Amino acid sequence: MTTTVQETRPARATRPEGAGSASAVRRHELAAFLRHRREHVAPEQVGLPRGVRRRTPGLRREEVAQLSSVGVTWYTWLEQARDIQVSVQVLDSLARALLLDSSERAHLFALAGAVDPSPSGGCSAVAPAHRVLLEQLEPLPACVQNSRYDILAYNRTYGRLLCDLDAVPPEDRNYMLLAYTHAEWRTSLADREEMLRLMAAKFRATMAEHLGEPAWKMLLNRLLSESEEFVEHWERHEVVGPSVRRKQFRNSRVGLLTLDHTYLWLGPHNGPRLITYTPADEETRARLERLRAIATGA
């Protein structure tokens, strides 16, 4: 299921000559940056065949448009420095399509005059004391999440609980996104159907307080466009509040883990929270010790 961004026509040139020169310079810088990055991404890097008649270095414009789920004409206007509006959702899609690193992503948003809603690796919501606490909780898997399910920090055992979280780009470290789109993460959920249905209901209930926020809308749009299963759950319009419950995970390295899920608010209600998983039996406790040893290379 793919959602294509609606094209927006360029604004008419109604301003006097010389007006908006700073914004014009930024548009031309943005156009040049996009062209440069497009020409330096090999088709094979994004899963596309090179073909025998490819003359364009890197990716073609239509390929970037396809990967970003935007119209070809609209993307062409962007590379032509036309005066068009660019949403944070589109910028996020372009950053992922062009394989931008954190510095390049920040540059893209700066040129577009937009605020990047995705969390960075050094999120200020996680105090140094919280990171020390995460380490001290080993071998209990633990992480810090915000109300949007972004995983802001985690200890080494949590980093191997459901997948190799270190291998996931920071902007994709979101529990909702991983649970609905990441193959290994999904395989690790023993009661996946029921768990995902409840997660969608919790997300809907919490999102009611954040309907106008770009980061929330961007996450929702990604889930709707990348997961038909999420669309099915979302359209049920179910809502539930926060809860703690026993969960089971099938870890590919140590086997079945039965864990009690708990959380502790680190700030205002529905703000950052410390998530912990405590073993429900001695077998799980022993398996967590083995998982920690794997995670630390001991």
Side-chain angles (χ1 to χ4, degrees), residues 33-50 54 56-61 63-64 67 75 94-101 104:
F33 179 66
L34 289 172
R35 286 194 301 271
H36 179 272
R37 290 304 308 140
R38 172 171 62 82
E39 292 171 356
H40 286 78
V41 177
E44 296 86 352
Q45 290 180 273
V46 292
L48 294 175
R50 174 169 290 277
R54 181 178 294 271
T56 304
L59 298 176
R60 301 185 180 100
R61 283 177 175 172
E63 290 171 335
V64 176
L67 291 168
Y75 179 75
L94 288 172
R96 288 185 285 114
L98 295 172
L99 307 179
L100 303 188
D101 61 25
E104 293 166 337

Side-chain angles (χ1 to χ4, degrees), residues 188-196 245 248-250:
S188 299
L189 303 177
D191 189 14
R192 186 171 66 203
E193 173 61 27
E194 177 67 10
M195 185 179 296
L196 293 187
R245 59 193 295 262
Q248 287 191 317
F249 301 130
R250 295 191 185 93

Side-chain angles (χ1 to χ4, degrees), residues 100-296:
L100 303 188
D101 61 25
S102 58
S103 297
E104 293 166 337
R105 180 184 175 94
H107 187 61
L108 173 70
F109 275 82
L111 290 176
V115 177
D116 187 353
S118 295
S120 63
C123 180
S124 59
V126 182
H130 297 151
R131 297 183 185 277
V132 173
L133 179 58
L134 289 173
E135 295 177 5
Q136 294 298 314
L137 286 170
E138 300 275 15
L140 303 186
C143 71
V144 175
Q145 290 182 8
N146 60 18
S147 57
R148 201 174 55 242
Y149 292 92
D150 294 323
I151 301 170
L152 308 179
Y154 53 91
N155 62 17
R156 286 172 291 187
T157 308
Y158 185 90
R160 297 298 185 275
L161 181 64
L162 294 156
C163 73
D164 182 359
L165 197 52
D166 291 342
V168 176
E171 62 270 20
D172 291 340
R173 291 174 191 165
N174 175 279
Y175 198 103
M176 292 287 297
L177 193 63
L178 291 165
Y180 276 100
T181 66
H182 191 283
E184 185 179 358
W185 191 286
R186 289 168 57 79
T187 301
S188 299
L189 303 177
D191 189 14
R192 186 171 66 203
E193 173 61 27
E194 177 67 10
M195 185 179 296
L196 293 187
R197 186 183 63 82
L198 288 174
M199 285 180 60
K202 291 178 183 178
F203 184 68
R204 179 178 283 280
T206 308
M207 189 170 180
E209 302 176 12
H210 305 274
L211 291 176
E213 298 180 22
W216 286 77
K217 292 190 291 185
M218 185 178 72
L219 175 58
L220 177 60
N221 288 338
R222 282 195 67 183
L223 289 165
L224 290 172
S225 64
E226 297 180 21
S227 172
E228 294 184 1
E229 188 176 12
F230 177 78
V231 173
E232 178 186 345
H233 292 162
W234 187 253
E235 290 179 349
R236 293 183 183 184
H237 288 268
E238 296 176 333
V239 292
V240 297
S243 61
V244 295
R245 59 193 295 262
R246 180 162 292 182
K247 298 182 179 182
Q248 287 191 317
F249 301 130
R250 295 191 185 93
N251 185 273
S252 60
R253 300 166 181 82
V254 300
L256 185 67
L257 299 168
T258 303
L259 301 162
D260 289 322
H261 164 270
T262 62
Y263 56 84
L264 173 68
W265 299 111
L266 301 177
H269 182 62
N270 286 342
R273 56 185 180 246
L274 175 67
I275 307 291
T276 60
Y277 292 94
T278 57
D281 52 56
E282 289 304 315
E283 186 175 17
T284 295
R285 184 178 296 276
R287 288 176 176 176
L288 286 180
E289 290 284 3
R290 293 207 301 274
L291 185 59
R292 178 179 63 171
I294 293 171
T296 59

